[in-house]
Amino acid sequence: MAREILDLVRERSGERFQLHERFLNGQLVRVLQTIGFDRRYVRASGAYLYDDAGQAYLDLLSGFGVFGVGRNHPRVVAALRSVLEGELPSMVQMDVEVLAGILAERLLATTQGLEKAVFTNSGTEAVEAAIKFARYATKRPGILYCDHAFHGLTQGSLSLNGDEIFREGFGPLLPDTHRIAWNDLEALERALRSHSVAAFVVEPIQGHGVNVPGDDYLREAARLCRQNGALFVADEVQTGLGRTGRMWAVEHWSVEPDMILSAKALSGGFVPVGAVLLRRRTFDAVFSNMVRAPVHGSTFSKNALAMAAGIATLDVIEDEGLVENAAKVGEGILADLRAIASQRACIREVRGKGMMQAIEFAPEDRLGHKAAWKVLDAAQKGLFAQLVVVPLFQKHRILSQTCGHDQPVVKFLPPLMIGDAERQAIVRAVDDVVGDTEQIGGAIWNLGKTLARAALRTRAGS
Ligand SMILES: Cc1ncc(COP(=O)(O)O)c(C=O)c1O
């Protein structure tokens, strides 16, 4: 059967764009073709993707952060194989499964003060569960979230989304959800004063923008929540499991949240999974007696494949020292990028922690650059970042992304296991590509014209 699937992939992969145009999201196909990302990948391993011409691509996107341990890690593969070959009785439902118990035990042991876990199938479902648990346990309706926040795209987490592009037209969203300024303790304190707030849901480092908070923001925010009877919920779907150089990003600031939300990297990139890690008293309030045992859950959430992949992934993170590697190599990359920034006028800031890194650009203080930047921005705000992302891919075979809507920011989310060779490749490529943008009228700015025309055509058609 496995061979038949591989034959199918080989035979029909030439049709993948047509299939997606016809049956799935054709707009994505158009984006890939417009920016020249339309490669045919045939294999993936560790930090690299390989195309049908045998070219290797360094993957700094990591499937939006799911491949923390690298792609196709053999230990996670072996764990999944053993579940299938062992014919384990997964999802009996009127039973409790040992693998879920073990993964909960392992995850909770990495936290301070959290004693219970609820598994989900994704990050957004973890957020939905957190909203429900916070409202039930506090008997309050209000949920606070930040400008530019991203917590997922189902209705509840969309109600906590800080960017209008995602929300527009999907309302009415959840009532009693309130946006506050990011990194602003006064705004939080004002919002908490109503005493109707169940929870403040916050990413320790915002994914859209890689916005790192001020040093005392999260600790003080947690204190204010506690003082005002609200729960402090750290959405670590992206930042968790070692990505920022600590197991949980809140550890950078010694914060002990009432809930930690996890997903993405938890199954090594194989099986949809998520988790809410929470205090016993919150859990006990929701699941307070036998009648309430099924008040929250989902059919697939504790499935054996996800649980086994989660356990194997935690083993890999621990045995390969990936948290420490993310800290060491990640901080090295950030230091090198900052050194480039000091030489390149168009880089406004390099920010991030560990393997979550961003470069923010700004127009240079010279007429030609400012004018060219303005033309790009008129077509689509922040489009300059594509002048870095596209050649990083086409010239250097490094896959990255622009970050957040309307922001001239390039973001890297490398697998946690990359080493010095990748660090050097990234830094050389960034320096080269950013250097090229200094030549107004060069090939990169011709690309800019093409992208600007495509953006304007899209706007005209919409
Ligand atoms: C911080 C954060 N929370 C929640 C989510 C939603 O996770 P999922 O895509 O698994 O639903 C994401 C996804 O990017 C995220 O970055």
Side-chain angles (χ1 to χ4, degrees), residues 181-444:
W182 159 252
N183 201 25
D184 181 339
L185 288 167
E186 278 175 25
L188 175 63
E189 197 167 13
R190 265 196 311 278
L192 286 168
R193 252 183 238 142
S194 68
H195 293 292
S196 65
V197 175
F200 174 41
V201 181
V202 64
E203 301 153 89
I205 296 175
Q206 289 192 317
H208 279 207
V210 187
N211 300 317
V212 183
D215 270 347
D216 57 354
Y217 177 65
L218 293 174
R219 204 175 27 239
E220 199 48 24
R223 189 190 65 75
L224 287 171
C225 285
R226 209 161 303 127
Q227 193 178 56
N228 288 282
L231 301 182
F232 180 85
V233 179
D235 179 348
E236 296 247 20
V237 166
Q238 187 163 143
T239 52
L241 300 166
R243 162 117 348 250
T244 70
R246 296 288 178 93
M247 186 64 179
W248 305 108
V250 286
E251 292 170 24
H252 288 288
W253 300 280
S254 309
V255 178
E256 294 183 14
D258 298 302
M259 291 189 219
I260 290 180
L261 314 182
S262 180
K264 287 201 189 282
L266 182 52
S267 75
F270 286 95
V271 194
V273 68
V276 181
L277 310 176
L278 67 167
R279 292 193 191 280
R280 179 180 294 279
R281 67 169 174 276
T282 312
F283 182 95
D284 286 350
V286 178
F287 298 94
S288 53
N289 56 48
M290 276 195 279
V291 175
R292 293 191 57 80
V295 292
H296 189 82
S298 120
T299 308
F300 278 99
S301 64
K302 296 188 285 282
N303 75 84
L305 286 171
M307 300 298 102
I311 294 166
T313 298
L314 292 181
D315 283 343
V316 172
I317 290 174
E318 201 175 305
D319 294 349
E320 296 184 7
L322 293 186
V323 181
E324 297 74 16
N325 193 66
K328 184 169 137 266
V329 179
E331 293 308 321
I333 293 170
L334 284 164
D336 291 348
L337 292 176
R338 287 192 178 110
I340 294 174
S342 67
Q343 308 290 317
R344 303 285 184 195
C346 67
I347 299 183
R348 171 180 283 166
E349 189 186 26
V350 169
R351 57 180 178 257
K353 277 198 186 288
M355 294 297 183
M356 190 168 178
Q357 304 136 359
I359 310 171
E360 178 168 348
F361 296 92
E364 287 179 27
D365 196 16
R366 54 190 170 106
L367 225 52
H369 202 270
K370 270 192 186 149
W373 178 289
K374 221 167 150 184
V375 170
L376 288 183
D377 251 26
Q380 187 188 315
K381 212 159 171 283
L383 191 56
F384 180 87
Q386 291 289 11
L387 300 200
V388 176
V389 166
V390 172
L392 274 181
F393 184 74
Q394 292 184 344
K395 195 169 168 193
H396 296 276
R397 297 199 297 277
I398 290 178
L399 181 63
S400 64
Q401 64 180 129
T402 60
C403 162
H405 208 71
D406 290 349
Q407 299 182 48
V409 178
V410 173
K411 174 175 171 183
F412 299 149
L413 281 182
L416 311 187
M417 29 65 75
I418 63 169
D420 277 339
E422 285 79 19
R423 169 181 168 180
Q424 281 162 22
I426 292 167
V427 170
R428 257 198 320 270
V430 168
D431 197 33
D432 178 56
V433 166
V434 174
D436 283 350
T437 67
E438 290 174 355
Q439 316 297 322
I440 308 294
I444 279 199

Side-chain angles (χ1 to χ4, degrees), residues 122-125 127 150-152 203 235 237-238 263-264:
S122 64
T124 198
E125 283 177 57
V127 174
F150 188 92
H151 299 287
E203 301 153 89
D235 179 348
V237 166
Q238 187 163 143
K264 287 201 189 282

